[in-house]
Amino acid sequence: MASYEEITARELKPALFELDGISRAAVEAHYKLYQGYVSKRNEILEKLESVDLSSANQVYSELRGLKVELTFAVGGIKNHELYFEHLGGDGGEPDGAVAQLLRRDFGSVAEWRNDLKATAMAARGWAWTAYDWDEGRLCNYIGDAQNTFPVWNATPLVALDVYEHAYFLDYQTDRAAYVEAFFANLDWSVVNDWVARTGIPR
């Protein structure tokens, strides 16, 4: 019996098929990529059940290959689940706890937004707003791939996917226009719920 639990992809909420400026076709294509990460996570964990541990080597070994790509698959799952979960809202100005945090740590919501936009343009894959528990504040971080630059002891609150697959169907190479559409569809109630559930101090 396998010691891991096989998982299935989460269903998309209906609001994701009616986004402003992000088409249903783009969302459906994006979702298929997420499903692929789930499938590969399951496949890799199954293979790890029988891998030869005695052959482990940092230059090359089957174990190393599987373990490295597991981080890519699991990162892809977690990143996309955050991304899909907090889309489907009306965007606009945040309210509640998250608005207080953004004003406290960036000076204003406008300054946060400008910084995250610039971070998104500089990133190769992801831009994040996360509460860094060691810094005691919100920070905008870059993630170039599903498994690069994870910042330990930080709780992500905004997950902006800027891989081309997120926007090419709708915007081709106009990443900046897609980033504006992303902001227009954020569901701030979801983000505020994350703030409350994780106990981020204000």
Side-chain angles (χ1 to χ4, degrees):
M1 178 181 290
S3 60
Y4 70 94
E5 181 181 353
E6 188 168 291
I7 63 172
T8 57
R10 293 182 186 176
E11 295 295 323
L12 293 180
K13 56 187 177 183
L16 288 170
F17 298 116
E18 299 177 1
L19 299 177
D20 182 15
I22 301 176
S23 68
R24 182 185 184 111
V27 170
E28 289 175 341
H30 204 162
Y31 183 69
K32 288 179 182 176
L33 291 172
Y34 159 64
Q35 289 176 307
Y37 289 125
V38 172
S39 176
K40 285 300 177 183
R41 176 262 187 198
N42 293 335
E43 179 184 336
I44 291 168
L45 286 175
E46 181 179 9
K47 289 181 177 179
L48 282 169
E49 289 291 298
S50 58
V51 71
D52 179 9
L53 298 180
S54 68
S55 68
N57 184 280
Q58 76 274 20
V59 177
Y60 170 77
S61 61
E62 184 181 10
L63 179 69
R64 174 179 167 76
L66 291 170
K67 288 279 189 175
V68 167
E69 301 314 327
L70 179 62
T71 68
F72 193 86
V74 170
I77 294 167
K78 293 177 183 289
N79 297 347
H80 284 95
E81 287 178 350
L82 288 168
Y83 174 82
F84 289 132
E85 183 64 23
H86 71 358
L87 288 180
D90 297 324
E93 291 299 302
D95 58 6
V98 70
Q100 295 176 35
L101 289 167
L102 292 172
R103 287 194 292 266
R104 183 194 73 187
D105 295 337
F106 289 90
S108 69
V109 172
E111 286 300 311
W112 160 76
R113 196 183 304 264
N114 288 338
D115 188 81
L116 187 60
K117 286 179 183 178
T119 304
M121 296 306 292
R124 295 173 183 166
W126 290 87
W128 303 91
T129 300
Y131 182 79
D132 189 312
W133 293 89
D134 299 309
E135 296 279 343
R137 61 185 292 270
L138 295 178
C139 301
N140 288 335
Y141 289 119
I142 278 179
D144 274 350
Q146 308 297 354
N147 59 347
T148 53
F149 316 135
V151 177
W152 304 117
N153 205 28
T155 300
L157 295 174
V158 177
L160 172 47
D161 189 346
V162 291
Y163 272 112
E164 285 83 357
H165 65 244
Y167 59 85
F168 195 81
L169 282 179
D170 294 327
Y171 296 99
Q172 300 199 14
T173 59
D174 190 353
R175 179 186 290 187
Y178 156 75
V179 170
E180 292 293 342
F182 171 86
F183 280 115
N185 289 281
L186 274 175
D187 188 336
W188 289 113
S189 67
V190 171
V191 181
N192 273 313
D193 182 57
W194 290 342
V195 170
R197 286 194 287 119
T198 55
I200 292 173
R202 287 178 276 159

